[in-house]
Amino acid sequence: MHNHTPSKLWRFHGGLKLPGHKASSMRASIAPATLPRYLILPVQQHIGAPAVPIVKIGERVLKNQCIAKAEGLVSVPVHASSSGTVIAIEPRPVAHPSGMPGLSIVIETDGKDEALVIPGASSAFAQQDPAQIRERIRDAGIVGLGGAGFPAFIKLNPGPGYQINTLILNGAECEPYITCDAMLMQEQPREILDGLLIMQHALQAQRCLIGIEDNKPEAIAALRNALTVAENKFIKVVAVPTIYPAGGEKQLIRTLTGIEVPAQQLPASMGVICHNVATAFAIAQAISRQQPLITRVVTVTGSALTQARNYWVRLGTPMRDLLEQAGATNTRFAHLTLGGPMMGLGVTDTAAPVIKTSNCLLAQTENKFQTKPVALPCIRCGECARVCPAQLLPQQLYWHAHAKDFDKIQDFHLFDCIECGCCDYVCPSHIPLVQYYRFAKTEIWAKERETQKSDIARQRHEFHLWRIERKKLDDEERKRKKMELLNKVDADEDHKQSAIEAALQRVHAKKAAQQVQPRNTDNLSDTQRKLIHDIDQRRMQHTEPAPNLNKDKNP
Ligand code: SF4
Ligand code: SF4
């Protein structure tokens, strides 16, 4: 008997009922996207330090080959998604809020799709050390595929201070139009469960929950049916209410466990870790099949396309190639969005590639979600606060962002805003609230970077002053020691001199002592007496100092 539902579900604050628009891209199974002529692989497809290219222009590379290595603690490598020749390593257009190009490795594919075979581990994952598993996950270049792009191996290593009880797989996929996770769950439930078991082993978590919105009954059924009897004891597939943003990390944790993760804290601090279902799939591929992350499922949908569908896309595929394959009716779309309509990013250049975090390409002839009339003043209706899932005061955030009061806005927990767009969606004054929040965040980050820079400059200056002061003290100490040494030498000299003088005195004293004493010559003959007298006279002449002639001359 399967044990599918936890005893209770909790409700998170706010949220919205939104039209799904999911059916059109779910009519057919996931199709492989065609191999593009050029693959453009940015070295920064994740949160953290960009990877560093390790190939040269003109070099032939194989599919699965690492072409850019991870740099620093928070980073992952990038792998070639097909075989071919590196023709450029240069900045290329990427989909990024800054609009700036990103350093990319460009491969001209050769159509052979020749793969590098990566050797596997000698033992099953359950026999491997969690640290070894995390290392392999990092080497496979795996990041959170739900959109954030945080390196997965770090989230599987919460640190010695945290005991993880619950591992959650996020299959909620709450944004309209996006169906890549739903289709992956339908088609690859066993691989997802295998990835979940690997993560559970790495975290040593006691229980696992898979949260899926209840508008995806096929995905829920597929995963439940794939569970073995043994797994069913500690893995629960839970249908959660379809309320946007049910797939927000903190919202899903609240719904499934009742735990409210406090502001500015990580779920790990509450004993919970949450990963996306597609990340679990990628981890299973990496650990069980030695397959680095080079493809992902992308939903290509919207009114400007004739063949909305989910595709297995090689990372680095230019968006325009994918749109063409999906039957783009007009290459000059009114709106092309990377991601969903609520949280997605507008794309202006279709030469930008699909990267690890690209879950959906939404090509619309008109944007029903984001086309807004001219903004009017805030009427303080409070609708935005009512729907905010992070329980913030969006109108206050707006006031302070508008006034550029970036200190005050942080008192209202700006950085807890998940940019879900609920406030924006309901605002009767059509104020583009999320744009204000993004602007404020960018300004604060820029200011922090400046502060960090000036902090570093200040520290350098202080260190410079410290070095000068230190040198001065060292010089003084050196001088003092030298003086001490000199004084000691003088003292030794004096001592030596005194010793010499004392020795001389001793010699004189000895000589004086040797001076001839008058002898008793009463019993001697005259000859003997004269002889002794002569001897004494001679000895005296030898011991007595020479007469001072000058003294004699000048009395
Ligand atoms: S919903 Fe709009 S008008 Fe109403 S309080 Fe919020 S910002 Fe102001
Ligand atoms: S965008 Fe931010 S402030 Fe607005 S509803 Fe979502 S979390 Fe709240």
Side-chain angles (χ1 to χ4, degrees):
M1 175 72 184
H2 282 195
N3 178 15
H4 290 144
T5 42
S7 49
K8 188 179 171 190
L9 287 178
W10 282 262
R11 175 85 170 85
F12 62 87
H13 181 267
L16 291 172
K17 283 266 181 204
L18 294 175
H21 297 288
K22 293 186 186 253
S24 60
S25 60
M26 294 187 77
R27 286 194 196 106
S29 58
I30 307 170
T34 49
L35 174 67
R37 177 147 184 224
Y38 298 106
L39 290 164
I40 302 154
L41 290 147
V43 294
Q44 174 104 66
Q45 301 185 37
H46 54 268
I47 289 175
V52 177
I54 53 170
V55 287
K56 292 191 179 72
I57 295 171
E59 190 174 332
R60 180 158 194 268
V61 293
L62 299 178
K63 184 164 96 171
N64 297 339
Q65 183 180 330
C66 178
I67 54 172
K69 63 172 184 163
E71 181 74 3
L73 289 177
V74 184
S75 185
V76 286
V78 176
H79 300 80
S81 49
S82 189
S83 58
T85 306
V86 176
I87 58 159
I89 302 174
E90 61 189 21
R92 288 289 179 105
V94 289
H96 191 269
S98 69
M100 301 283 285
L103 182 68
S104 306
I105 299 169
V106 185
I107 299 170
E108 183 172 12
T109 57
D110 57 14
K112 295 178 186 161
D113 215 20
E114 206 178 323
L116 181 77
V117 179
I118 300 170
S122 51
S123 55
F125 78 83
Q127 268 82 58
Q128 291 174 37
D129 182 61
Q132 190 188 352
I133 288 183
R134 285 193 290 268
E135 196 178 320
R136 292 181 64 199
I137 290 171
R138 187 200 58 198
D139 291 348
I142 298 172
V143 302
L145 297 180
F150 196 72
F153 75 95
I154 294 178
K155 241 176 147 184
L156 290 172
N157 186 17
Y162 298 119
Q163 176 60 51
I164 302 303
N165 308 309
T166 308
L167 169 61
I168 292 178
L169 267 201
N170 189 343
E173 196 163 53
C174 56
E175 267 222 67
Y177 288 99
I178 308 177
T179 58
C180 54
D181 287 351
M183 290 301 292
L184 190 67
M185 288 187 279
Q186 276 180 224
E187 295 189 12
Q188 300 285 346
R190 191 56 247 171
E191 265 326 82
I192 291 171
L193 290 173
D194 287 348
L196 176 66
L197 295 175
I198 294 166
M199 290 196 268
Q200 187 216 7
H201 175 65
L203 288 165
Q204 299 290 298
Q206 284 125 38
R207 67 165 178 168
C208 303
L209 302 170
I210 306 176
I212 307 170
E213 276 191 338
D214 55 14
N215 64 352
K216 302 173 187 66
E218 295 86 354
I220 295 169
L223 278 162
R224 284 180 178 169
N225 292 336
L227 280 174
T228 65
V229 175
E231 289 164 358
N232 197 49
K233 292 195 177 96
F234 61 93
I235 301 175
K236 287 179 182 172
V237 181
V238 187
V240 300
T242 302
I243 300 168
Y244 179 80
E249 188 174 62
K250 289 186 177 177
Q251 287 67 39
L252 189 62
I253 291 170
R254 166 76 184 155
T255 306
L256 291 174
T257 66
I259 294 171
E260 287 274 9
V261 180
Q264 287 160 18
Q265 276 195 34
L266 293 172
S269 67
M270 310 298 287
V272 185
I273 290 279
C274 190
H275 278 277
N276 180 268
V277 285
T279 313
F281 176 84
I283 285 175
Q285 294 279 299
I287 301 298
S288 309
R289 302 182 202 289
Q290 294 74 51
Q291 177 62 64
L293 182 60
I294 58 164
T295 58
R296 67 155 298 148
V297 184
V298 181
T299 305
V300 189
T301 188
S303 54
L305 306 175
T306 56
Q307 292 160 46
R309 194 168 181 173
N310 281 282
Y311 292 91
W312 280 110
V313 185
R314 284 162 210 272
L315 303 178
T317 302
M319 290 180 192
R320 63 168 162 246
D321 289 44
L322 200 51
L323 292 165
E324 268 170 31
Q325 198 179 344
T329 51
N330 183 356
T331 45
R332 293 173 63 83
F333 311 107
H335 294 278
L336 179 63
T337 307
L338 179 64
M342 298 296 283
M343 298 176 76
L345 178 73
V347 178
T348 50
D349 192 341
T350 56
V354 166
I355 61 168
K356 294 177 183 180
T357 52
S358 311
N359 55 0
C360 177
L361 268 187
L362 177 57
Q364 293 173 294
T365 47
E366 59 168 331
N367 188 342
K368 291 178 191 146
F369 280 83
Q370 288 170 1
T371 307
K372 283 189 166 200
V374 176
L376 298 170
C378 171
I379 55 171
R380 294 178 180 273
C381 65
E383 275 301 293
C384 48
R386 193 181 58 74
V387 297
C388 177
Q391 302 188 56
L392 305 176
L393 295 171
Q395 73 276 35
Q396 296 291 341
L397 293 174
Y398 161 64
W399 284 119
H400 297 304
H402 191 261
K404 297 186 181 169
D405 189 345
F406 301 127
D407 288 331
K408 197 79 187 156
I409 197 169
Q410 291 186 72
D411 294 346
F412 288 88
H413 307 295
L414 171 71
F415 287 97
D416 281 329
C417 166
I418 57 171
E419 299 177 20
C420 66
C422 288
C423 52
D424 225 320
Y425 190 81
V426 298
C427 176
S429 295
H430 314 298
I431 301 169
L433 295 166
V434 178
Q435 279 181 31
Y436 277 96
Y437 310 151
R438 284 182 183 157
F439 160 74
K441 284 178 186 176
T442 312
E443 289 294 307
I444 291 165
W445 284 326
K447 217 166 143 189
E448 269 175 13
R449 272 197 299 274
E450 279 308 307
T451 313
Q452 271 172 8
K453 265 192 218 157
S454 59
D455 277 355
I456 290 168
R458 184 175 48 74
Q459 281 165 8
R460 269 200 208 124
H461 179 66
E462 281 171 3
F463 182 63
H464 176 68
L465 293 179
W466 177 83
R467 261 184 23 212
I468 291 173
E469 183 62 25
R470 183 65 204 261
K471 191 172 176 306
K472 206 170 113 191
L473 290 173
D474 282 353
D475 287 350
E476 280 173 7
E477 180 65 11
R478 238 192 323 271
K479 225 182 268 173
R480 191 186 63 74
K481 278 191 179 155
K482 200 172 166 185
M483 286 306 294
E484 219 174 73
L485 201 67
L486 283 174
N487 289 339
K488 192 166 175 295
V489 169
D490 285 352
D492 286 352
E493 281 298 315
D494 289 351
H495 181 73
K496 238 187 251 168
Q497 196 59 37
S498 326
I500 291 167
E501 278 168 14
L504 284 171
Q505 275 171 11
R506 276 198 304 277
V507 169
H508 285 308
K510 199 174 168 189
K511 279 183 180 173
Q514 283 174 345
Q515 279 186 0
V516 180
Q517 298 296 317
R519 301 178 192 227
N520 185 359
T521 54
D522 292 349
N523 299 326
L524 299 179
S525 65
D526 287 345
T527 314
Q528 285 172 320
R529 227 180 273 135
K530 186 170 181 315
L531 187 63
I532 287 171
H533 176 78
D534 288 348
I535 291 168
D536 285 349
Q537 281 299 310
R538 274 205 301 279
R539 281 175 60 192
M540 281 175 71
Q541 276 166 9
H542 278 289
T543 53
E544 275 174 12
N548 189 336
L549 297 176
N550 292 336
K551 188 179 165 189
D552 288 347
K553 279 181 186 169
N554 302 299

